[in-house]
Amino acid sequence: THFGYETVTESVKQERVAEVFTSVAESYDKMNDLMSLGVHRLWKDHFVSSLNPGATNPIGMPQRILDVAGGTGDIAFRMLQHAHVNNGNPNVHVTISDINPAMLAVGKQRSLSLPASHQSSLSFLEANAEVLPKTIADNSLDLYTVCFGIRNFSNMPAALKEAYRVLKPGGIFACMEFSKVDKYPIFNAIYKQWSFSAIPLIGQLVAGDRDSYQYLVESIERFPSQTEFRDMIAEAGFNIVGKGYEDLTGGVAAIHKGIKP
Ligand code: SAM
């Protein structure tokens, strides 16, 4: 049946993704810098400032944030820094959730060098974004983030439904993901050349793993366009503000947001 076929391909994808991230966990942070020439740091800084965690009215109100596919902690650590330091709000708590224990282990290790007050506002959760545990109650979160994770999910609509379930009314879904550069043909050609030639090669030379980086490049290619993905977010029930997304570096990445009504 069609359903049977889908189940098989979904579980194959999930296994492949597990292999990839178990294999890349140790080299993940270094590889991000090399593959993006450091630009991923600027995107992540921008993503977090645009969400302005910790800015509550009145000031100092608690906020609960879930960073899904949080991997080695880049987004969660920035959230805590922004909320606690920039906005002076220590009552912001972030949970890093990820399906992959190897990625979480690197994240936990890295978190040990954070200030103690940040560490005590951070938790880790091994979970599949498509079936979050019921310990994350319905309508319980202020902010749900997912960065460079959702294209790896086998069932994106299921994950969006879970995001909708756990957010409070008024809560924000925010996703940063690789996207399409179609508007700029020359830049797109250079970018494609970089992706398909340089990235697998860097993967081979630096991480000793060409196949995983080949998979990552192909998964970017298969991911829906900015408008298609926005429509999926709306389909899950979120309200879309304006055009619903912001392109970064000509669309190499894009930030999508939705608000739970
Ligand atoms: N958010 C981090 C960042 O921006 O650096 C890590 C992104 S990393 C490219 C993608 C992460 O998605 C991996 O850690 C992987 O284990 C996780 N992942 C893949 N499928 C998942 C799923 N179904 N549920 C939760 N996490 C998943």
Side-chain angles (χ1 to χ4, degrees):
T1 63
H2 180 63
F3 180 70
Y5 168 77
E6 247 177 33
T7 311
V8 170
T9 51
E10 276 181 23
S11 69
V12 168
K13 175 164 179 179
Q14 198 160 314
E15 268 172 45
R16 180 79 188 105
V17 167
E19 281 167 16
V20 165
F21 286 103
T22 303
S23 163
V24 304
E26 290 296 330
S27 56
Y28 178 78
D29 295 309
K30 184 169 56 175
M31 282 298 291
N32 268 350
D33 280 333
L34 285 170
M35 290 184 308
S36 76
L37 309 172
V39 174
H40 78 109
R41 291 170 183 259
L42 305 178
W43 291 341
K44 286 170 177 167
D45 288 345
H46 174 71
F47 178 74
V48 170
S49 328
S50 81
L51 292 164
N52 202 8
T56 59
N57 185 13
I59 51 174
M61 296 292 283
Q63 267 186 339
R64 276 176 53 90
I65 302 173
L66 181 67
D67 183 36
V68 171
T72 61
D74 271 2
I75 297 300
F77 301 165
R78 281 172 170 79
M79 291 283 183
L80 287 171
Q81 173 72 18
H82 192 98
H84 289 212
V85 180
N86 301 23
N87 280 324
N89 183 344
N91 299 317
V92 173
H93 185 277
V94 184
T95 301
I96 301 184
S97 84
D98 200 287
I99 200 171
N100 193 301
M103 292 291 281
L104 283 175
V106 175
K108 278 183 195 160
Q109 185 60 40
R110 286 177 81 200
S111 74
L112 300 176
S113 49
L114 297 176
S117 61
H118 294 199
Q119 288 187 45
S120 58
S121 303
L122 186 64
S123 353
F124 293 87
L125 173 72
E126 191 180 319
N128 182 349
E130 294 155 21
V131 272
L132 291 173
K134 296 295 174 217
T135 47
I136 305 185
D138 299 0
N139 307 310
S140 63
L141 302 175
D142 299 281
L143 177 58
Y144 172 118
T145 52
V146 56
C147 284
F148 305 115
I150 204 164
R151 75 178 188 285
N152 299 295
F153 298 175
S154 314
N155 187 340
M156 283 194 279
L160 290 169
K161 216 171 142 188
E162 278 292 78
Y164 189 90
R165 176 181 77 76
V166 296
L167 279 166
K168 292 176 185 169
I172 295 176
F173 166 85
C175 174
M176 182 158 63
E177 188 50 89
F178 292 106
S179 203
K180 306 291 174 208
V181 189
D182 300 345
K183 274 170 271 167
Y184 307 101
I186 294 173
F187 178 52
N188 197 23
I190 297 167
Y191 168 61
K192 286 277 151 66
Q193 189 67 31
W194 172 257
S195 303
F196 282 94
S197 315
I199 290 182
L201 184 63
I202 298 174
Q204 184 179 348
L205 297 177
V206 179
D209 182 358
R210 186 181 182 92
D211 289 354
S212 292
Y213 286 92
Q214 182 73 34
Y215 159 81
L216 291 175
V217 171
E218 286 168 12
S219 68
I220 293 171
E221 192 70 11
R222 283 193 296 270
F223 191 69
S225 70
Q226 285 85 333
T227 51
E228 285 165 340
F229 183 50
R230 173 197 58 207
D231 294 348
M232 289 174 71
I233 296 168
E235 188 64 29
F238 291 100
N239 287 336
I240 305 294
V241 179
K243 68 174 182 173
Y245 65 87
E246 179 192 358
D247 278 339
L248 305 174
T249 318
V252 173
I255 296 174
H256 282 76
K257 289 179 188 165
I259 302 174
K260 179 165 170 178

